Amino acid sequence: MALIIEELNRAHRVQLRYRMDGDKFTLGRAYDNDAILEDIHSDAHHAEIKRGEDGQYVLHDLNSINGCQLLGNLKDKSVKPDTIAQHRISSGDLLQCGKSRFRVFHTDDPVPEATPLHSLENLFSSLSHPLGAILLLLCFGFASVLMSYLGYARNYQWTIAVNILATAIIGMVIYAGVWAFIGRVVRHETHFFTHLSIAAIGALTYTFWEWLRGLINFNFAIGTTIQVLDFLVLAIILPAMLWSACYLATNLARGWRWTVALTLPLAFLGLGLAESVNNMDEFSEVPPISTELKYDNMLFRNPVPMQKFIGNSADLFDIPIKKKETKEGAEGSSSDNQSSTAEVES
C-alpha cells in the first residue's frame, strides 16, 4: 500500500500529486526534496513522512519556523485542527506545511464514480470558438441597428447606428468578461468566448421577439397583455443564460445552480410585472400610442373601412353614465311624492 500526497492550491484544487512508495518522503523548498515547495513560508527541509515497520505513515516536523498543522480529516469529522510536531497519518488527512496544503490518501481507497458529462457539453464546446462568438456578437449588433432603423420616424443619422452598435458590443463583452473572471477565480477556467456566444444568442433571441411583438401588437392591438408576454419570454431567456454561466464559471451543485438561475431573474421580472399589472387600471391623460413604423404588408387582418369604423364608434366610445342618487335627493323626491298624493286625495 502506497501513500498519495496531493498538493492543493488556494482554491483547494489539486495542483500536484506525489506517490510515496518508499520508506521516506521529504517536503521543503530545497531541490533535494521529494516535494519541492514554492512557498516562502516553508523551510528548505520542512517536514518528512516515514513509513514504520507496521506499515503506518508518520509525519515529522523538522524544526521548521512556521511548523505543521493538521487541518482536519475528510473522512472523520471528529478530527480537530491542531499544531503537530509528529502525527500518525490517516487516510483523508488535511495537512499544512508553512502555507502549503496537502491532502493524503492510501492507494487502496476507493475513488468517487465518474461524473457523467452534461448533455450540453458538446454545445458549449461548439460555442467556444472565437470566430463563431465574434460572428454572433456582430449579428446581434447589426440586428439592433436594423431594428432601430426600421422603427425610426425621423432622418436616420449614422451616429445613432454607431452608438447602438458600440453599446451592444461593449455590453456583451463586459458580461462575458465578468463571468470569465469569476470562472478564472473559482474554477481556473475562463470560457470567455463561450459566455460571449451564449450572451449573443440570448440577446438575438430577444431582438427577434421584439420584432415579433411589434408585429403582433400591430395586427391585434393587445395592449397591456404584451407585458405579460414579455415576462414569459424573458423568464425563459434570462434563467437559461444564468444557468449556463453558473455551470461554466462556478462549482455550484445542480440544485443550487437551478435555484440561482430561476430565483434571481424571476424575482426581478416578477416585481416589474406586478408593477405593470398594478398600473393597468390607472387613468392616463395621454393614451399610450406606439411610435414604431409599420408597413401595409405587415398587416395580416383586413382593415375596416373608415365609414364603417365611424358608424361603430358609438359602441366603442359611448360610455353609459349612471347617476348616483343622493340622500337629500331621495328625501326631496319622497316629500314631493307625498304632497302630490295628498293633492290627489283632496
Side-chain angles (χ1 to χ4, degrees), residues 3 15 47 69 159 194 223 230 237 241 257 268 304 316 324-325 333 337:
L3 190 69
Q15 187 169 291
Q69 288 82 36
T159 53
T194 309
D230 259 341
I237 295 174
M241 290 177 60
R257 192 163 58 240
F268 285 108
V304 178
L316 293 174
K324 189 174 182 181
E325 190 173 331
S333 60
N337 289 337

Side-chain angles (χ1 to χ4, degrees), residues 42-303:
S42 63
D43 286 23
H45 299 89
H46 196 100
E48 65 181 10
I49 301 173
K50 289 184 177 181
R51 181 164 59 183
E53 294 180 358
D54 58 354
Q56 298 296 319
Y57 295 92
V58 180
L59 174 72
H60 299 273
D61 178 56
L62 301 177
N63 296 320
S64 61
I65 293 175
N66 294 305
C68 298
Q69 288 82 36
L70 173 64
L71 303 178
N73 186 286
L74 296 175
K75 299 180 179 181
D76 186 359
K77 300 302 180 183
S78 65
V79 175
K80 304 298 181 185
D82 192 15
T83 300
I84 51 176
Q86 183 174 315
H87 172 68
R88 187 173 180 174
I89 292 176
S90 298
S91 183
D93 276 346
L94 291 171
L95 305 169
Q96 181 169 310
C97 298
K99 271 200 170 181
S100 299
R101 294 190 173 189
F102 300 91
R103 190 166 58 194
V104 292
F105 295 101
H106 294 144
T107 52
D108 58 356
D109 284 355
V111 297
E113 292 185 3
T115 303
L117 288 172
H118 198 279
S119 57
L120 294 177
E121 281 288 347
N122 291 332
L123 174 62
F124 290 146
S125 178
S126 63
L127 293 176
S128 64
H129 297 291
L131 181 59
I134 292 171
L135 288 176
L136 284 171
L137 180 63
L138 292 177
C139 285
F140 166 62
F142 286 117
S144 301
V145 172
L146 181 62
M147 288 288 293
S148 170
Y149 175 75
L150 293 176
Y152 204 75
R154 292 176 292 174
N155 188 22
Y156 201 78
Q157 310 253 333
W158 66 270
T159 53
I160 300 174
V162 171
N163 286 335
I164 292 174
L165 188 62
T167 303
I169 292 176
I170 292 173
M172 293 292 103
V173 169
I174 291 175
Y175 173 87
V178 169
W179 280 110
F181 175 77
I182 294 172
R184 179 64 179 171
V185 172
V186 176
R187 299 187 59 177
H188 301 275
E189 300 172 350
T190 55
H191 296 293
F192 172 78
F193 289 107
T194 309
H195 288 296
L196 190 61
S197 298
I198 292 170
I201 291 173
L204 271 171
T205 304
Y206 188 72
T207 302
F208 172 75
W209 160 246
E210 282 187 314
W211 173 82
L212 184 61
R213 177 186 64 184
L215 189 63
I216 294 172
N217 207 21
F218 179 59
N219 281 276
F220 303 103
I222 56 179
T224 51
T225 310
I226 206 72
Q227 296 171 353
V228 179
L229 295 177
D230 259 341
F231 171 84
L232 295 176
V233 171
L234 287 173
I236 297 173
I237 295 174
L238 294 182
M241 290 177 60
L242 188 54
W243 184 93
S244 301
C246 289
Y247 178 83
L248 293 168
T250 69
N251 292 321
L252 291 174
R254 181 181 178 181
W256 280 107
R257 192 163 58 240
W258 277 110
T259 301
V260 171
L262 292 174
T263 303
L264 293 181
L266 294 182
F268 285 108
L269 291 174
L271 289 174
L273 181 63
E275 185 179 357
S276 300
V277 171
N278 234 2
N279 297 334
M280 279 185 181
D281 295 331
E282 288 188 3
F283 176 77
S284 174
E285 296 179 356
V286 181
I289 300 173
S290 174
T291 58
E292 295 181 8
L293 297 179
K294 294 292 183 293
Y295 303 95
D296 290 345
N297 56 5
M298 296 178 69
L299 186 64
F300 302 142
R301 302 174 65 191
N302 292 325

